[in-house]
Amino acid sequence: MLKEKLLERIDEKRIITDQTLRFAYGTDASFYRLVPEIVLQLKNIDEIVFALKQCYEFATPVTFRAAGTSLSGQAISDSVLIMLTTDWNKHKVIHQDSRCLAEQIWLQPGVIGANANKYLAPFKRKIGPDPASINSCKIGGIAANNASGMCCGIAENSYKTVAGMTIVLFDGTILNTLDPQSVASFKESHHDLLTALCALANECKANAELSAKIRHKYRLKNTMGYALNSLIDFDDVIDILLHLLIGSEGTLAFIADITYNTVVDHPFKSTALYLFADIEQTCKTVSELAKTNVATVELMDNRALRSIADREGMPAFLGELVKNKDTQSAALLVEIHAKNAALLAIEIKELTRIIDLFEAKDAVAFTSDKKVYAQLWDVRKSLYPAVSAVRATATTVIIEDVAFPIAKLSLALQDLDALLKKYRYDEAIIFGHALDGNLHFVFTQTFASQIEMIRYRDFMDDVAQLVAITHQGSLKAEHGTGRNMAPYIELEWGADGYQLMQRIKTIFDPQGILNPGVIINEDKQSHIKNLKLMPVTDDLIDKCMECGFCEDVCPSRNLSLTPRQRNSVYREICRLRETKENPAKSTEMEKAFQYLGIDTCAATGLCADRCPVDINTGDLVRKLRATDNKIANKVAMWTADHFAMVTKLSELGLSGANVMHRVIGTSNMEKMTGFAYKASGHRIPRWSRYIPQPARNLNILKAHGINHENHEKVVYFPSCAVRIMGSAVDAMDQRSLFDVTQSVLKKAGIEVIIPHDVNEQCCGMPYLSKGFNNIANKKTKQLETVLWEASEQGKYPILMDTSPCASISMDLMRSELSIYEPFSYIAEFILAKLTITPQKEPVMLHITCTSQRKGKADVMCAVAKACAEQVIIPDDISCCGFAGDRGFKFPELNRSALAGLQEQVPRYCSEGYSNSITCEIGLSEHSGIEYKSILYLLDKVSC
């Protein structure tokens, strides 16, 4: 019945009941698993209001999900899960005075935290919260969990920097706390709710003991339960309501937007790393540093330091800790910020003086050098992944976060370490934000047996007693209460505090439909129920923690599945195969996974760059694409052995399509090939008006020659795509990329060497992407031999005109070969040789996934800016999703990946540039402008 009512206002495609998708979308970063009955993908506040009203009418629980990077089980549901579409990522920078200081920023809940800071960067401002997951987590989750981080502490978290919100209550009522009219209307319609809140606040202020406890708790970092400090910090009932929503984890209302007061982002920064003899000396140093203006102090215990000592770029003295395992050393990573260099120098001198009092054993002194700065922060950021990477298969990585009064930090840390040893968590490490007394401890746990579950339960009972009672600390400092700590709220807050929270929940949500089981949970064993199993699946993904850091860069994230979801679903499929507990479900999921998991994966590898443990889900997908079908392997091998014929046949196919297009017209051609595409089950590619013409009259054996013995030379390998495809029908420049490349090289006075038998050559990428690894390796080695000869054993650089070819060749060929994609070659060998007049018209720039993975983004920007006065790199476009031939077979992948591109093209922009001919086809189709190789632009603006 609920689904039928929802269908009245919500598109059926966004009401998801398919069991594979429900399982996938229900996955979050916690170690709990619930599978929702319905997943709703809602696009605006009207749909939120409608959905909440229906859930309220049917008494159906509902949970809100942003990025799903939370760790404590607060973003999962076995009922209705509401997710946000890409329509929720708008922002507005608010200038409060004539100096344009950007003192506030209005954000929708779907905005990624790092993007909010990107919008504020030109004003030297940022949002206060700075969680470690800021590149992936979204504003809705940051506010709902009161996430903090390394620098913001308790002074600049969401509670302290929120200026206003728009919220939706359980009954569909909308309140904008910054709109006087909305507030007045709400005070009239919800008088009873506000009266009850006022009564709670008065009771709380009158209870001296409880008020004192609240003040003590919030001198620490504390996200345990509801923000009771709002009851004593504010007198205005709307302020109380507003601040109660911070950290409420979706249990009181839906946050539809939030306005933050921004904070200064000081441009001058310096970082140092100090190693001390033991924890006591380390904590004494922290106590003194807490009295200064230091920005960050990160503490790392001995086991934490040893876990990353052998990583590349780590300070040499960490290696000694590995040799001497009995040492009790600990380290502090210290960072300071200042508004100018002079003040920074003063701060460095003063902090160095203080730290020297505690006689550090070793140190990397304060530095602003970007390379060393990055290496020092890599020490801290590598800790969590270090445990994850070495954990036993089928175990879960658990990270807990607690806070202690700084005065008790040394003793508390030693007590915590003793507990970890007592329960045999020998691999556990401890680190944290020392200025706040905030410690994280990371350990691995399996839930595959009752004995292991009891071990975890007993350990957490002892941790709760140690933190909340013995040391009067906080059981959750910044990760949110969730299901994980809900059973311990009363232990930490006492009966009065817990009853206050129960009443808050009832006032806001009398029917209890908003995220039940989170924060308020009467089941004292809820933290050891619905635990996520991590079955052995495949070495390629067994280390996946399902954190979700990969999702933002995945081109299929809004079409089918993300890397996290692919891994999660494949794990479940393997589990079902192994246990045989539900053959029908297993069959259905396997069938669905073919399209959702395998066919629509671009396999770009961008997920590996974001993954804390370097998992490339594309490797799994390519492995699953591989087939034992003898016919398929024979066909692939035949094409590899007759590659010149294959490229010629492909060219003839393009010629035939081009002739047919001229005869029947664009509209009829699209309709006819669209029908053929569907009828053939994606075997016949869909034609597009942006598909190039064949590369006619490409005389590849007659490259220009300068014939000066001492002249600069380059080996030019034209990719198979360039040998097949010419320019598009309506292209402004009808020359092939081969001809344009020749033109640029000739202008630069560089002699061209074309490899022998080039028409038979291929880098191997087309075979690798389909899982034919042996055939791919064969073609790569064949090309390597040809290039080795043409370059005179690496004497001359090699230019490949498309980035995917260059990327795979750099990875798989001998290191003596100097291989370049166009931008890198232009930057190193051509720019200085040409006279360039940058064009005034703006250009779009697409940084391909292979270029991103090779760290070429800065080079691409520099080359583009040398050729055009205005270069636009669109937001939220990572991989285009064309992925070789995926764009032909599954054009919806390309369309979804580039959904936000066209609206970002400036009105007077008609050109886009990149370095991959197939990517440029999709970019042209979905941007409304023509994309070409950067070599076209360089040739146009140079002489």
Side-chain angles (χ1 to χ4, degrees):
M1 286 293 291
L2 175 61
K3 181 179 179 181
E4 283 68 30
K5 290 292 293 184
L6 292 169
L7 282 167
E8 293 178 7
R9 298 272 295 275
I10 300 170
D11 187 341
E12 186 174 11
K13 294 178 181 177
R14 294 186 284 109
I15 302 175
I16 296 161
T17 56
D18 172 82
Q19 69 172 342
T20 304
L21 288 174
R22 287 189 290 111
F23 184 90
Y25 295 162
T27 299
D28 78 341
S30 75
F31 51 95
Y32 298 95
R33 171 86 69 201
L34 291 175
V35 179
E37 288 294 319
I38 298 176
V39 176
L40 299 179
Q41 296 175 325
L42 305 184
K43 62 188 300 183
N44 55 48
I45 196 169
D46 290 338
E47 290 189 346
I48 293 285
V49 168
F50 176 72
L52 281 179
K53 285 183 175 179
Q54 302 315 308
C55 289
Y56 175 57
E57 182 179 332
F58 285 90
T60 302
V62 59
T63 297
F64 308 113
R65 162 78 63 81
T69 56
S70 52
L71 297 164
S72 301
Q74 58 265 67
I76 57 175
S77 172
D78 57 2
S79 183
V80 174
L81 180 68
I82 291 181
M83 303 177 70
L84 307 179
T85 66
T86 56
D87 302 275
W88 293 87
N89 59 4
K90 298 178 182 63
H91 76 282
K92 182 167 61 179
V93 175
I94 301 170
H95 308 291
Q96 296 286 37
D97 60 27
S98 59
R99 293 174 296 166
C100 294
L101 290 179
E103 291 189 355
Q104 292 184 336
I105 186 168
W106 173 87
L107 298 160
Q108 287 190 306
V111 175
I112 290 173
N115 286 347
N117 285 338
K118 182 171 69 174
Y119 305 142
L120 290 167
F123 308 98
K124 295 183 173 57
R125 310 285 289 192
K126 62 181 180 177
I127 61 171
D130 61 338
S133 58
I134 196 166
N135 289 327
S136 305
C137 65
K138 296 180 179 179
I139 292 298
I142 289 174
N145 290 290
N146 197 19
S148 48
M150 298 180 187
C151 294
C152 85
I154 58 174
E156 296 178 344
N157 61 14
S158 291
Y159 182 89
K160 290 294 179 67
T161 58
V162 62
M165 282 183 195
T166 299
I167 64 171
V168 184
L169 294 182
F170 74 98
D171 60 358
T173 301
I174 299 174
L175 167 64
N176 179 352
T177 66
L178 293 175
D179 179 357
Q181 186 173 344
S182 176
V183 170
S185 176
F186 186 80
K187 286 181 175 179
E188 184 176 338
S189 64
H190 286 68
H191 176 266
D192 291 346
L193 184 153
L194 297 178
T195 299
L197 275 186
C198 285
L200 277 188
N202 291 333
E203 285 180 35
C204 190
K205 290 169 183 173
N207 186 332
E209 184 178 347
L210 181 57
S211 294
K213 175 176 278 193
I214 291 170
R215 291 189 181 92
H216 165 73
K217 290 288 185 183
Y218 288 101
R219 278 193 287 268
L220 308 174
K221 269 189 180 179
N222 189 355
T223 58
M224 190 67 170
Y226 293 122
L228 297 185
N229 47 338
S230 62
L231 299 175
I232 62 173
D233 287 348
F234 302 98
D235 294 320
D236 183 87
V237 69
I238 297 299
D239 279 334
I240 294 172
L241 181 150
L242 170 66
H243 289 83
L244 275 173
L245 264 291
I246 297 294
S248 61
E249 301 175 26
T251 64
L252 303 183
F254 172 77
I255 299 174
D257 64 53
I258 184 168
T259 299
Y260 277 116
N261 293 315
T262 63
V263 301
V264 176
D265 186 12
H266 290 297
F268 292 87
K269 299 173 184 178
S270 186
T271 306
L273 180 69
Y274 288 90
L275 183 71
F276 297 91
D278 53 42
I279 283 294
E280 188 173 355
Q281 282 294 97
T282 308
C283 292
K284 284 180 179 179
T285 309
V286 172
S287 294
E288 287 303 308
L289 291 176
K291 301 172 186 177
T292 72
N293 291 324
V294 66
T296 306
V297 178
E298 293 291 301
L299 183 150
M300 295 160 277
D301 80 346
N302 182 264
R303 282 196 300 260
L305 295 170
R306 283 192 276 119
S307 73
I308 47 86
D310 59 350
R311 284 177 62 96
E312 184 178 351
M314 295 295 109
F317 59 75
L318 295 184
E320 295 301 315
L321 303 182
V322 178
K323 298 175 186 177
N324 183 9
K325 294 185 179 181
D326 293 330
T327 180
Q328 297 300 308
S329 296
L332 296 177
L333 181 70
V334 184
E335 180 162 302
I336 49 177
H337 301 164
K339 64 180 181 181
N340 58 51
L343 288 175
L344 187 70
I346 293 171
E347 292 280 357
I348 289 173
K349 184 177 180 180
E350 176 60 15
L351 287 179
T352 302
R353 182 191 67 78
I354 292 172
I355 295 170
D356 284 347
L357 297 175
F358 298 93
E359 300 179 351
K361 292 172 59 179
D362 280 292
V364 177
F366 279 102
T367 178
S368 297
D369 180 279
K370 290 184 178 179
K371 183 178 180 181
V372 180
Y373 178 93
Q375 288 174 333
L376 291 180
W377 271 107
D378 193 39
V379 174
R380 166 63 177 83
K381 293 177 180 178
S382 298
L383 298 179
Y384 183 35
V387 174
S388 306
V390 299
R391 77 183 193 271
T393 303
T395 61
T396 296
V397 179
I398 298 177
I399 179 169
E400 289 295 350
D401 91 295
V402 297
F404 300 101
I406 291 181
K408 296 185 175 184
L409 187 59
S410 176
L411 180 58
L413 202 154
Q414 294 174 62
D415 288 346
L416 181 58
D417 184 62
L419 272 186
L420 289 166
K421 289 176 180 175
K422 174 183 175 181
Y423 286 95
R424 308 181 310 284
Y425 292 113
D426 300 322
E427 79 294 344
I429 64 173
I430 302 174
F431 58 91
H433 317 310
L435 285 179
D436 303 301
N438 178 194
L439 298 179
H440 300 311
F441 53 102
V442 182
F443 58 100
T444 62
Q445 173 75 51
T446 177
F447 296 115
S449 70
Q450 188 66 20
I451 291 174
E452 283 297 318
M453 289 179 63
I454 291 171
R455 176 171 73 131
Y456 173 72
R457 180 200 66 192
D458 292 348
F459 171 65
M460 290 308 298
D461 285 348
D462 281 358
V463 166
Q465 189 70 27
L466 172 71
V467 176
I469 305 303
T470 304
H471 292 295
Q472 291 296 297
S474 168
L475 278 166
K476 278 295 183 182
E478 58 180 4
H479 291 173
T481 309
R483 285 173 166 75
N484 189 21
M485 283 297 176
Y488 298 109
I489 290 180
E490 188 169 8
L491 175 72
E492 176 164 331
W493 279 100
D496 286 353
Y498 186 56
Q499 287 171 15
L500 208 56
M501 292 185 191
Q502 289 175 309
R503 290 166 65 187
I504 289 169
K505 172 65 172 174
T506 302
I507 288 169
F508 278 89
D509 181 22
Q511 204 168 19
I513 67 166
L514 298 181
N515 213 4
V518 171
I519 298 185
I520 302 301
N521 194 327
E522 301 307 318
D523 182 356
K524 300 305 180 184
Q525 301 298 309
S526 63
H527 62 310
I528 55 171
K529 294 180 179 178
N530 302 305
L531 297 166
K532 184 186 291 182
L533 298 177
M534 304 290 272
V536 176
T537 302
D538 190 291
D539 288 344
L540 292 171
I541 64 166
D542 279 339
K543 299 300 183 186
C544 175
M545 302 176 289
E546 300 184 359
C547 64
F549 288 6
C550 57
E551 294 192 329
D552 181 51
V553 293
C554 178
S556 62
R557 63 189 181 275
N558 298 315
L559 172 68
S560 52
L561 300 180
T562 65
R564 163 168 66 177
Q565 293 163 353
R566 283 186 172 89
N567 296 346
S568 180
V569 171
Y570 188 63
R571 276 174 168 159
E572 179 66 2
I573 288 171
C574 291
R575 187 188 71 81
L576 290 170
R577 285 176 186 164
E578 179 70 22
T579 62
K580 298 181 174 59
E581 70 178 44
N582 191 334
K585 179 181 178 182
S586 177
T587 300
E588 183 181 331
M589 290 188 80
E590 288 189 48
K591 182 179 178 181
F593 191 70
Q594 179 62 45
Y595 176 81
L596 297 171
I598 299 174
D599 292 343
T600 54
C601 177
T604 64
L606 286 179
C607 49
D609 294 343
R610 288 291 190 91
C611 177
V613 289
D614 303 320
I615 291 172
N616 185 341
T617 299
D619 289 341
L620 172 69
V621 169
R622 283 187 288 270
K623 180 177 179 179
L624 296 177
R625 283 175 184 164
T627 175
D628 294 328
N629 187 302
K630 293 181 179 179
I631 295 176
N633 276 281
K634 283 183 178 179
V635 170
M637 184 60 75
W638 185 90
T639 63
D641 292 338
H642 302 83
F643 204 77
M645 184 182 296
V646 172
T647 56
K648 190 63 180 177
L649 290 171
S650 300
E651 187 181 333
L652 290 173
L654 280 178
S655 295
N658 198 45
V659 170
M660 187 177 296
H661 173 222
R662 288 201 301 270
V663 172
I664 67 175
T666 299
S667 180
N668 289 331
M669 185 73 172
E670 288 179 338
K671 289 177 183 177
M672 186 180 73
T673 58
F675 175 79
Y677 165 75
K678 291 180 181 179
S680 66
H682 300 176
R683 291 181 180 84
I684 299 175
R686 182 188 67 93
W687 181 86
S688 162
R689 67 187 71 193
Y690 299 95
I691 289 179
Q693 303 171 89
R696 296 191 189 92
N697 304 319
L698 198 65
N699 197 341
I700 216 152
L701 299 179
K702 291 187 178 180
H704 81 268
I706 300 174
N707 299 320
H708 295 309
E709 183 63 30
N710 297 322
H711 210 282
E712 193 172 341
K713 298 181 181 181
V714 65
V715 176
Y716 171 33
F717 175 66
S719 65
C720 55
V722 170
R723 301 197 303 267
I724 295 169
M725 299 176 186
S727 59
V729 175
D730 300 325
M732 292 180 281
D733 188 335
Q734 287 290 314
R735 294 177 299 165
S736 69
L737 179 54
F738 178 80
D739 292 334
V740 172
T741 305
Q742 295 282 325
S743 174
V744 168
L745 293 170
K746 189 171 185 178
K747 284 181 184 180
I750 299 173
E751 183 176 346
V752 175
I753 301 168
I754 300 293
H756 171 70
D757 202 19
V758 71
N759 285 320
E760 282 290 350
Q761 305 307 319
C762 170
C763 67
M765 178 69 81
Y767 300 99
L768 185 66
S769 66
K770 295 175 179 61
F772 298 116
N773 293 355
N774 292 335
I775 300 173
N777 289 334
K778 175 183 176 180
K779 294 304 291 182
T780 303
K781 292 300 178 185
Q782 180 183 336
L783 177 58
E784 180 185 51
T785 300
V786 171
L787 294 177
W788 184 247
E789 177 186 349
S791 67
E792 297 186 17
Q793 293 75 51
K795 179 179 179 181
Y796 304 119
I798 298 162
L799 170 62
M800 295 187 173
D801 49 29
T802 58
S803 63
C805 297
S807 179
I808 190 175
S809 300
M810 282 186 261
D811 288 342
L812 300 180
M813 293 183 185
R814 60 178 74 190
S815 59
E816 295 90 342
L817 293 175
S818 300
I819 298 170
Y820 294 83
E821 52 74 42
F823 283 90
S824 299
Y825 186 79
I826 290 168
E828 188 167 338
F829 296 99
I830 295 182
L831 280 183
K833 296 180 174 68
L834 301 179
T835 300
I836 298 173
T837 305
Q839 71 173 39
K840 295 185 180 299
E841 294 81 4
V843 301
M844 302 292 290
L845 176 64
H846 177 70
I847 301 172
T848 54
C849 49
T850 48
S851 300
Q852 292 178 56
R853 299 213 69 198
K854 293 297 181 186
K856 301 296 183 184
D858 290 344
V859 173
M860 293 179 73
C861 290
V863 170
K865 288 177 180 178
C867 299
E869 293 182 1
Q870 185 180 1
V871 177
I872 298 102
I873 301 175
D875 292 332
D876 301 323
I877 303 292
S878 48
C879 171
C880 71
F882 210 90
D885 65 353
R886 294 286 111 182
F888 296 120
K889 289 186 173 182
F890 301 97
E892 65 271 29
L893 174 60
N894 181 228
R895 182 170 59 249
S896 178
L898 298 178
L901 177 59
Q902 188 165 8
E903 65 189 36
Q904 298 186 64
V905 178
R907 183 178 178 185
Y908 298 107
C909 178
S910 61
E911 303 169 51
Y913 294 94
S914 193
N915 57 1
S916 171
I917 192 168
T918 51
C919 295
E920 290 150 17
I921 296 170
L923 289 161
S924 297
E925 180 171 4
H926 298 294
S927 67
I929 63 172
E930 183 183 355
Y931 271 82
K932 295 172 291 186
S933 168
I934 188 62
L935 289 156
Y936 282 89
L937 178 60
L938 180 61
D939 194 42
K940 181 170 67 166
V941 301
S942 66
C943 59

